[in-house]
Amino acid sequence: MQKMAELLGLRDEYGEGTSGAPALAGSCLADNRLNLDVYPDGCCRFLQLFKEQQGEVVQVEFLRLSSNDCLLDTALGSLPHLKHLKSLVLKGGHARDEFGSYQHGSLTSLPPAFGNLKYLTHLDLSFNRLSSLPSCILHLPSLRVLLVSHNSLVTLPEDFGHLSKLTFFSAMKNQLKDLPQSIGELSMLQDLDLSENALELLPEEVGNLHNCTELDLSGNRLLSIPDSLANLKSLRRLHLHSNLLVTVPASLASLPNLSRLDLQNNCLRAIPAEVQTLPFVHLRGNPLGETEPSPQAGLKSLHNVINSCISSGSFTVTSEGCRVVLACGIHFSFPPGAASDPLRIYFRSLTPDPQWVKLRHHDVLLSRVLELQPHGVQFQQEVQIWMPYISPQTPHQHEVVVRTFSGQSWSDLKTRVKQKRKSKKCVAHCCVLHFSWFLVVSRLVQNECKVPAEGTLLFSSVDPNIKVIFPPGVTKEPRSVKLQVLPVSAEEIQEITANTDCRASPLLYLSQDSTVDFLKPVRIQLPLPPGVTGLNLDRSRLHILHGDLEGQTWNDITSEVVLEFTHLYAVFEVTHFSWYWLWYTTKTYIGGIAKKVYERLRLYQVNFIALQRRRDPEQVLLQCVPKHKVDPVLKKLQDRYRGPEPSDMVEMFEGEQFFAAFERGISIDMDRPDCVDGRLSFIFYSHLKNMKEIYVTSPVDRKGQAVKGQVSFYRGAVPDSIPEDASRRRKGPDSLWLATLPIKLPQLKPRWDENPGPLYGFSFPPLNLGNAETGYLTQANLLSIARRVGADWQSIGLNLGLTYQQIERIGYNNREDLNKQILDMLFSWAQQNSEDPDCVSKLITAMKESGRQDIADEIEAIIELGRQKYSESIRRVGLEQESSTEDSAIAMM
């Protein structure tokens, strides 16, 4: 308070009295600025000004108020009337408590009318009590700088990406646990500070922040970072210290502009050699080279959200039990006594791959693969697991189950599913006594029963007309039998066979847990094919087919069984189980037709898309999309991407591998772990995103012409489960080729230092800033500096002394051309200050104040070189005056 009194007294001494609105208005309203946060009653003064001089106040462009002010809520109601407002600061921290700590402001929300401040570019709400970001902020169309540090934010809104003009965002010292996927839509963002939060994972979309130069993620709970960070080509500084990182991707070493990588105080025991050898990486405080410690006894159980699901992590379970929630949505519940001693659980969330994903025919993958270790550990009580999954498209024919590996084989767990009310997300719940690999699949609905010696009846819940009757004495020992049914419509049969006379019943699959055939025949009842009844039945056209487990061979067993007919059903007896199918056709070789139909029922019709980002054509998005999803996917991407029409339709199996190869002068710009022999590897799963974004380049000189290349898609190795005739059909000159789409890289603009003519329409006289003793900055030097400025040009211009109006005019005159904006700002300042002997030092100071130490260092290096040349010239002149020809010759070398 003493300092405040001194400050107020000082203002009185210079005519800025603290009493009386007119005197205050005369001083504070100059240049459309109101800095009232220095007054303990600033909000009161603002309300008095607004009442008495509203005409002048509504023209204010820069306003600062303290959110520690008790009248803040009242003042907030008047702020939306300041339609010309460009910068607003409502910070706390202007008061201290009895212990000397800064007090947070009282701000918890903003009025909805704030969204009407269409000129607001700078908003600072730091040191307040925000628990959620006010929704009105998302409606500020011009917002470029947003500071919400030192609040209580737990999450950001899903549509946070609507702030498309944001260049600076700071949310340090909050409680953020995750980030919305839309953060990747902030295409102009240059500086992102999320330090000292509770982040446990990063969305892959962070890799879309291609203009980001500084990313601060220090002081969080990150166990890993996504590989997509390797797409941040503009990144100069990456701060990851004080996390829980156990691994970092090697691709970070390929970032072309990275000058600082801070990995201090993490859990890194090993890092890629490419990263470790970087001269600017900082690794202190990591257990490099140490072995993993054994679990420590006595650790308390965990009852809150821990760890990340992007790659891997661990947590400890004690005999007390606990509930664990991973940030990716997977839940665990360990009851008391499940583990007798403290047990360290390790988890990994794996990208689906045939090595991990074991699918059967007609299965559909609905989730990533979850690995839990130690493998095979037995719990004393069942552990509950909840896994999120993507809802399948055929809920009637299929059911959702969790599949696990027991150490010998894969099996399906008893699963319950539910849909969360708020998020509408689907979750699969199961109980286990062991840990290994887990995934969520959609399979054909399965009905099962135990068959005792007395016999029993089993029927399908999908089609109750399908029954299996086990007579008494069919088995000595009880055995388990499973039944699955795949309905096939008459339209599908006719479309595939191109024959209107072909009809078929639903497909029936029977299996048992015994390798021994039944002691007595088992009676099977199948409905007759559509349109066929016992009254119009031509028995010569009816065929019962038996298929092997893989559906590769279909044998006609009509003559081998006793057939009985009712008005609607066919009944026959068998002693062993597999696929059974009832066909009605005039064709003789029905086995081949059935094999073709069975194969087609497992294929998905898909299209390939290849789009280029509108703002950066070198970034290419590739995706394999099921046919029915193509239009909505393109509609979602059309604002940010452009490219050719999707490819022609092709057919693919669930879990089939394919590749994308760039051709005709276009190649992949960086090494990737999913790049095989120069081709980008994919695995097709119908319900997951088969999408990747990658930077491409060209060895062709693009200064004189654009490069018209292409990307082609090829099949990979044919999976074992694909039928043999499908493999043969794909052989030939283009057996692996699927589709080709054009890719065009535009002609490059001339670099500033390579353009001999006027630069972007500018023509400047020769410049020599500085003096001979301190060294000169020439026009060529300024061009070199301009290439590195980027979107910081406004901040640099203001620190150089240009007015806000000048900056706005430069931006407007050269709108949509960043290069012209930078050149206009830099050379306008240079011409105005060319006679100032201290202009170079002012330029260096402005760069430092703008956070561009790298450019300041470059300028100082240029100046130092100038000093050396000047000293050498003086020395040479001195030697020449001594008339020593030999020494002069040496000095000139």
Side-chain angles (χ1 to χ4, degrees):
M1 293 300 295
Q2 182 179 358
K3 284 188 175 181
M4 183 64 71
E6 292 175 358
L7 179 60
L8 296 180
L10 185 63
R11 293 177 66 86
D12 289 336
E13 180 180 343
Y14 285 90
E16 295 180 37
T18 59
S19 61
L24 181 66
S27 59
C28 291
L29 283 178
D31 201 20
N32 295 327
R33 295 176 183 265
L34 264 178
N35 296 327
L36 300 176
D37 55 342
V38 297
Y39 298 96
D41 60 344
C43 288
C44 178
R45 295 170 181 269
F46 171 78
L47 292 171
Q48 186 178 0
L49 280 171
F50 187 79
K51 178 181 178 181
E52 299 178 3
Q53 296 178 250
Q54 183 171 347
E56 295 180 55
V57 174
V58 295
Q59 300 297 321
V60 165
E61 297 179 357
F62 303 86
L63 175 63
R64 299 178 66 98
L65 293 173
S66 167
S67 59
N68 294 110
D69 198 307
C70 60
L71 292 179
L72 176 68
D73 288 342
T74 306
L76 288 177
S78 302
L79 295 187
H81 296 284
L82 279 61
K83 300 294 186 182
H84 300 279
L85 203 59
K86 296 179 180 179
S87 175
L88 175 62
V89 178
L90 299 173
K91 289 178 63 174
H94 293 275
R96 294 177 181 265
D97 60 19
E98 57 183 337
F99 302 105
S101 300
Y102 288 109
Q103 289 185 337
H104 284 238
S106 60
L107 187 69
T108 59
S109 62
L110 292 175
F114 258 70
N116 299 326
L117 298 175
K118 61 181 181 179
Y119 297 112
L120 193 67
T121 63
H122 175 270
L123 179 61
D124 190 346
L125 305 176
S126 303
F127 283 96
N128 280 293
R129 304 181 188 276
L130 297 172
S131 59
S132 61
L133 196 69
S135 58
C136 59
I137 292 179
L138 302 179
H139 300 287
L140 298 172
S142 302
L143 194 63
R144 297 181 181 179
V145 177
L146 176 60
L147 298 96
V148 289
S149 58
H150 294 268
N151 277 278
S152 302
L153 298 176
V154 176
T155 186
L156 297 175
E158 288 297 326
D159 50 354
F160 187 67
H162 286 180
L163 296 173
S164 58
K165 293 188 178 180
L166 208 62
T167 62
F168 182 96
F169 177 57
S170 175
M172 69 173 294
K173 281 278 187 180
N174 278 273
Q175 301 167 24
L176 295 175
K177 296 180 179 178
D178 53 28
L179 300 175
Q181 294 181 344
S182 65
I183 197 169
E185 299 174 14
L186 302 177
S187 58
M188 299 180 66
L189 194 65
Q190 299 169 27
D191 199 317
L192 177 59
D193 187 351
L194 299 171
S195 59
E196 298 189 62
N197 278 276
L199 293 175
E200 298 174 330
L201 80 163
L202 300 175
E204 291 285 341
E205 287 75 10
V206 170
N208 295 334
L209 303 176
H210 302 299
N211 283 314
C212 187
T213 60
E214 181 156 2
L215 178 58
D216 194 340
L217 298 166
S218 57
N220 282 280
R221 302 177 185 173
L222 297 171
L223 285 152
S224 62
I225 55 175
D227 290 336
S228 61
L229 285 190
N231 294 332
L232 304 183
K233 302 292 186 179
S234 301
L235 196 63
R236 292 195 293 266
R237 292 175 292 277
L238 177 57
H239 306 277
L240 291 166
H241 68 80
S242 307
N243 275 279
L244 302 173
L245 293 176
V246 295
T247 180
V248 292
S251 52
L252 290 181
S254 65
L255 291 172
N257 293 308
L258 196 64
S259 60
R260 181 178 180 84
L261 176 58
D262 194 343
L263 297 172
Q264 298 179 88
N265 300 319
N266 276 281
C267 303
L268 296 169
R269 302 181 184 280
I271 60 173
E274 303 95 314
V275 175
Q276 191 166 6
T277 56
L278 294 174
F280 47 78
V281 67
H282 300 266
L283 295 169
R284 290 183 60 184
N286 283 285
L288 292 174
E290 297 181 13
T291 57
E292 185 74 22
S294 59
Q296 299 177 0
L299 293 178
K300 295 182 179 180
S301 58
L302 306 177
H303 294 277
N304 53 5
V305 178
I306 61 173
N307 294 325
S308 159
C309 195
I310 260 300
S311 176
S312 62
S314 63
F315 54 88
T316 300
V317 178
T318 69
S319 58
E320 300 175 15
C322 64
R323 183 179 178 86
V324 179
V325 182
L326 303 184
C328 60
I330 297 176
H331 295 219
F332 302 96
S333 179
F334 296 85
S340 56
D341 297 313
L343 179 64
R344 191 74 172 174
I345 303 296
Y346 299 89
F347 67 85
R348 288 199 300 166
S349 180
L350 305 168
T351 302
D353 185 276
Q355 179 183 356
W356 305 102
V357 179
K358 302 299 182 182
L359 297 180
R360 306 178 187 125
H361 287 197
H362 311 290
D363 284 350
V364 178
L365 182 66
L366 302 178
S367 76
R368 291 169 64 94
V369 182
L370 173 66
E371 183 185 10
L372 297 173
Q373 293 180 335
H375 291 168
V377 62
Q378 290 292 320
F379 293 100
Q380 305 300 317
Q381 297 188 49
E382 287 188 332
V383 176
Q384 299 183 70
I385 303 177
W386 289 265
M387 293 183 64
Y389 67 90
I390 301 170
S391 178
Q393 300 167 358
T394 53
H396 175 64
Q397 302 174 7
H398 286 70
E399 61 186 352
V400 174
V401 295
V402 176
R403 184 164 295 169
T404 184
F405 189 68
S406 63
Q408 300 293 331
S409 61
W410 289 83
S411 59
D412 295 341
L413 300 172
K414 185 177 180 180
T415 306
R416 291 188 295 110
V417 298
K418 68 176 183 178
Q419 189 178 51
K420 294 183 178 180
R421 293 181 180 178
K422 293 184 178 180
S423 63
K424 303 298 183 182
K425 293 181 179 179
C426 299
V427 180
H429 170 258
C430 64
C431 299
V432 298
L433 286 171
H434 74 282
F435 275 175
S436 61
W437 289 272
F438 299 88
L439 53 92
V440 182
V441 299
S442 172
R443 70 180 184 189
L444 295 177
V445 174
Q446 182 172 283
N447 303 109
E448 59 182 304
C449 69
K450 273 289 186 184
V451 179
E454 298 80 16
T456 189
L457 171 67
L458 177 62
F459 65 90
S460 169
S461 59
V462 174
D463 188 344
N465 296 316
I466 298 177
K467 299 178 181 180
V468 183
I469 303 165
F470 299 90
V474 71
T475 180
K476 289 183 178 180
E477 299 293 334
R479 63 179 76 181
S480 178
V481 173
K482 299 175 182 178
L483 175 152
Q484 292 175 295
V485 171
L486 176 62
V488 186
S489 67
E491 292 76 13
E492 286 179 299
I493 296 292
Q494 293 174 8
E495 179 183 355
I496 297 172
T497 63
N499 190 330
T500 57
D501 292 332
C502 286
R503 304 171 193 178
S505 71
L507 256 168
L508 170 64
Y509 179 69
L510 294 170
S511 62
Q512 60 170 321
D513 61 355
S514 174
T515 58
V516 180
D517 288 345
F518 289 100
L519 301 179
K520 290 185 178 181
V522 176
R523 291 174 61 84
I524 298 176
Q525 174 182 295
L526 286 177
L528 292 171
V532 180
T533 68
L535 299 177
N536 62 7
L537 176 66
D538 181 355
R539 297 189 61 159
S540 65
R541 299 175 58 183
L542 191 69
H543 304 269
I544 297 179
L545 302 180
H546 169 264
D548 62 8
L549 294 178
E550 296 298 321
Q552 294 275 35
T553 304
W554 292 88
N555 296 317
D556 189 342
I557 61 171
T558 310
S559 60
E560 302 173 15
V561 300
V562 177
L563 265 173
E564 299 176 12
F565 299 98
T566 67
H567 182 62
L568 298 174
Y569 309 113
V571 181
F572 57 95
E573 296 182 343
V574 298
T575 57
H576 59 279
F577 283 174
S578 186
W579 290 98
Y580 291 97
W581 210 352
L582 199 61
W583 276 73
Y584 193 75
T585 179
T586 56
K587 300 291 184 179
T588 55
Y589 182 59
I590 189 61
I593 298 175
K595 183 178 180 180
K596 174 183 177 182
V597 174
Y598 180 81
E599 174 192 320
R600 286 287 299 275
L601 291 174
R602 295 180 52 226
L603 285 167
Y604 290 86
Q605 295 182 337
V606 301
N607 300 87
F608 296 99
I609 60 175
L611 303 176
Q612 295 172 263
R613 188 174 284 270
R614 292 180 181 272
R615 293 180 176 270
D616 187 359
E618 293 182 349
Q619 184 182 359
V620 179
L621 180 148
L622 305 177
Q623 189 169 6
C624 176
V625 188
K627 184 179 178 181
H628 66 280
K629 295 183 179 179
V630 171
D631 289 340
V633 167
L634 290 178
K635 185 177 180 181
K636 185 178 180 180
L637 297 172
Q638 65 183 1
D639 292 337
R640 292 174 293 148
Y641 297 86
R642 60 186 171 193
E645 291 294 316
S647 71
D648 293 337
M649 186 271 294
V650 297
E651 294 180 329
M652 301 194 74
F653 292 96
E654 183 85 359
E656 184 172 359
Q657 187 176 11
F658 65 96
F659 297 93
F662 293 93
E663 301 164 340
R664 295 190 177 181
I666 296 181
S667 58
I668 297 175
D669 190 29
M670 59 182 293
D671 293 330
R672 295 170 55 114
D674 55 358
C675 190
V676 180
D677 294 331
R679 295 180 176 183
L680 199 60
S681 176
F682 290 80
I683 308 291
F684 172 73
Y685 293 109
S686 58
H687 284 59
L688 304 185
K689 282 186 178 181
N690 308 289
M691 179 183 72
K692 294 183 181 181
E693 285 192 81
I694 191 167
Y695 269 93
V696 297
T697 186
S698 175
V700 179
D701 186 358
R702 292 165 55 197
K703 298 174 185 176
Q705 62 179 356
V707 176
K708 297 181 179 179
Q710 65 185 29
V711 58
S712 293
F713 297 89
Y714 300 89
R715 294 190 190 276
V718 179
D720 296 337
S721 59
I722 292 183
E724 289 181 1
D725 65 334
S727 303
R728 286 197 300 269
R729 188 181 67 248
R730 292 174 185 160
K731 293 179 179 178
D734 293 323
S735 60
L736 300 179
W737 177 83
L738 291 167
T740 297
L741 294 171
I743 296 289
K744 181 180 179 181
L745 294 180
Q747 179 179 346
L748 290 177
K749 294 181 179 180
R751 288 177 52 165
W752 298 341
D753 54 349
E754 295 175 350
N755 191 347
L759 299 164
Y760 289 92
F762 295 99
S763 179
F764 301 114
L767 289 172
N768 282 303
L769 303 180
N771 55 66
E773 293 187 5
T774 60
Y776 288 112
L777 283 182
T778 65
Q779 177 175 324
N781 297 141
L782 285 181
L783 289 173
S784 175
I785 294 168
R787 283 202 301 273
R788 302 181 59 179
V789 168
D792 291 333
W793 71 272
Q794 293 173 307
S795 174
I796 294 171
L798 290 171
N799 287 322
L800 283 172
L802 299 181
T803 66
Y804 194 85
Q805 289 77 11
Q806 287 177 298
I807 296 294
E808 288 286 287
R809 184 173 64 252
I810 291 173
Y812 179 79
N813 292 341
N814 306 286
R815 53 191 177 277
E816 299 184 0
D817 194 328
L818 180 62
N819 295 334
K820 288 185 178 181
Q821 293 171 346
I822 297 168
L823 288 170
D824 196 352
M825 179 277 295
L826 198 55
F827 279 87
S828 295
W829 169 83
Q831 291 178 17
Q832 295 172 13
N833 295 270
S834 59
E835 302 300 326
D836 184 354
D838 296 324
C839 62
V840 174
S841 61
K842 292 179 180 178
L843 179 60
I844 294 173
T845 301
M847 293 298 177
K848 292 180 179 179
E849 291 176 348
S850 304
R852 297 305 302 270
Q853 183 68 43
D854 57 327
I855 301 180
D857 292 343
E858 179 181 337
I859 297 172
E860 288 176 341
I862 294 172
I863 295 302
E864 180 60 29
L865 181 61
R867 292 195 189 101
Q868 292 177 6
K869 290 184 176 180
Y870 179 77
S871 299
E872 290 177 1
S873 65
I874 294 297
R875 181 170 57 86
R876 287 197 300 268
V877 170
L879 291 172
E880 287 171 357
Q881 289 176 348
E882 295 176 3
S883 301
S884 174
T885 306
E886 181 180 356
D887 289 346
S888 297
I890 295 175
M892 294 295 292
M893 292 179 64

